[in-house]
């Protein structure tokens, strides 16, 4: 993207400079039409043919609009479904938070852990839903990037191949420079667009990789503490047993 920005600025500067020189020639020819020899020809035919070549190569995107609309048609419903589920579960999640605060105030640690597990299950579902939405976005953005990149790479080659013989016929330097600079801009603009799509793919992929959805583990049940009194066994003195007053249990 940085490269495309610099090249677009340079090509724009060349186009403006050449355009100013062409306008100076035109103004000079208008002031002294009989004495000028700067622009004996206007090259209308060549400029027309060049414009037609631009339209036939990169001027028509051949299905790219349909790809973009199709991608939007997939990403839109997926994003809405995720948003609807989040809104539907949010009141229940907030209620669990209130109950957990009350249990924490009451010192009921077991209930706090139980409620935390219920909330973790909800956030785990949200995480998986968010990750699925990102994966859908990535797949659709890749379709757009792949088709646009392949199309503009091929069409740019065609533009240069078919337009060069026409531009070579424009032998007035200023006008020739202007057409060549405009051709660079026609190629650099979709090049920058392709770079933007590639950058968005990288950002989505980074988001998917950084999003870790960890399934919650249910809390361990509280340990049962036996009553210490139950451990005491009835102990009878051996002398009493030997005397026969009490029978051994």
């Amino acid at each position: 993207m940085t490269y495309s920005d610099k090249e677009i600025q340079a090509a724009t500067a060349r186009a403006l400079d050449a355009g100013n020189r062409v306008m100076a020639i035109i103004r000079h020819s208008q002031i002294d039409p009989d004495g000028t020899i700067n622009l004996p020809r206007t090259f209308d035919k060549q400029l027309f043919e060049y414009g037609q070549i631009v339209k036939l190569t990169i001027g028509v995107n051949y299905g790219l609009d349909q790809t973009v609309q199709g991608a939007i048609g997939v990403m839109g419903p997926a994003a809405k479904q995720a948003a609807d589920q989040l809104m539907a579960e949010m009141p229940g999640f907030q209620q669990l938070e209130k109950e957990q605060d009350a249990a924490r105030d009451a010192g009921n640690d077991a209930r706090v852990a139980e409620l935390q597990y219920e909330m973790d299950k909800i956030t785990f579902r949200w995480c998986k839903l968010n990750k699925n939405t990102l994966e859908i976005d990535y797949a659709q953005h890749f379709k757009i990037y792949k088709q646009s990149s392949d199309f503009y790479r091929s069409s740019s080659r065609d533009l240069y191949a078919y337009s060069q013989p026409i531009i070579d016929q424009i032998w007035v330097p200023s006008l020739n420079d202007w057409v060549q600079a405009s051709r660079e801009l026609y190629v650099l603009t979709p090049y920058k667009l392709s770079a933007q799509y590639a950058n968005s793919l990288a950002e989505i992929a980074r988001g998917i990789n950084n999003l870790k959805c960890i399934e919650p583990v249910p809390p361990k049940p509280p340990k049962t503490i036996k009553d210490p009194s139950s451990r005491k066994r009835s102990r009878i003195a051996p002398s009493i047993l030997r005397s026969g007053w009490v029978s051994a249990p």
Side-chain angles (χ1 to χ4, degrees):
M1 291 178 63
T2 302
Y3 170 80
S4 63
D5 285 336
K6 291 182 179 179
E7 291 299 314
I8 287 175
Q9 292 176 4
T12 301
R14 289 193 294 271
L16 291 174
D17 176 67
N20 290 333
R21 285 185 276 123
V22 171
M23 293 303 299
I25 294 173
I26 294 174
R27 286 194 299 269
H28 183 70
S29 64
Q30 292 174 343
I31 295 173
D32 187 11
D34 296 328
T36 183
I37 59 173
N38 291 323
L39 196 63
R41 290 181 57 186
T42 57
F43 301 97
D44 290 338
K45 177 184 177 181
Q46 286 76 12
L47 293 177
F48 172 79
E49 291 176 346
Y50 168 74
Q52 293 299 108
I53 291 171
V54 171
K55 291 180 182 179
L56 293 174
T57 53
I58 64 176
V60 182
N61 54 36
Y62 298 104
L64 184 58
D65 286 343
Q66 290 85 341
T67 301
V68 173
Q69 292 300 321
I72 294 174
V74 174
M75 292 186 294
K80 184 178 184 303
Q81 180 183 358
D84 290 346
Q85 182 172 336
L86 178 65
M87 294 300 296
E89 293 185 338
M90 183 58 71
F93 185 84
Q94 293 173 340
Q95 180 60 34
L96 290 174
E97 286 183 320
K98 293 179 181 178
E99 293 180 15
Q100 189 186 51
D101 290 339
R104 188 178 290 109
D105 294 338
N108 190 345
D109 294 339
R111 182 58 177 164
V112 170
E114 180 183 347
L115 291 169
Q116 185 62 51
Y117 174 63
E118 294 299 322
M119 290 189 293
D120 289 345
K121 287 195 297 184
I122 296 175
T123 55
F124 176 67
R125 288 198 300 271
W126 289 348
C127 181
K128 290 179 64 177
L129 188 64
N130 189 20
K131 193 161 191 173
N132 180 66
T133 303
L134 287 174
E135 289 172 348
I136 291 174
D137 289 350
Y138 182 88
Q140 298 306 315
H141 275 80
F142 179 78
K143 289 181 180 178
I144 298 173
Y145 164 72
K146 185 68 167 60
Q147 182 165 347
S148 63
S149 178
D150 291 347
F151 167 74
Y152 285 119
R153 183 182 293 108
S154 175
S155 62
S156 296
R157 293 169 181 167
D158 291 342
L159 173 61
Y160 272 82
Y162 292 120
S163 65
Q164 192 59 50
I166 305 300
I167 295 178
D168 289 342
Q169 297 176 23
I170 304 175
W171 43 263
V172 171
S174 299
L175 188 58
N176 188 287
D177 292 343
W178 178 81
V179 176
Q180 292 201 53
S182 70
R183 183 175 61 175
E184 288 185 56
L185 290 173
Y186 278 124
V187 173
L188 287 169
T189 300
Y191 179 88
K192 181 179 180 179
L193 179 64
S194 180
Q196 290 173 337
Y197 275 126
N199 185 59
S200 66
L201 279 174
E203 290 297 327
I204 296 174
R206 188 176 295 109
I208 294 173
N209 291 334
N210 292 337
L211 188 60
K212 307 296 183 183
C213 299
I214 302 175
E215 188 171 2
V217 179
K220 295 180 180 180
K223 295 181 179 180
T224 302
I225 302 176
K226 295 182 179 180
D227 187 358
S229 62
S230 66
R231 299 179 181 177
K232 296 181 179 179
R233 296 181 180 179
S234 176
R235 294 184 178 182
I236 302 175
S239 60
I240 297 177
L241 290 175
R242 286 195 298 269
S243 66
W245 290 356
V246 180
S247 60

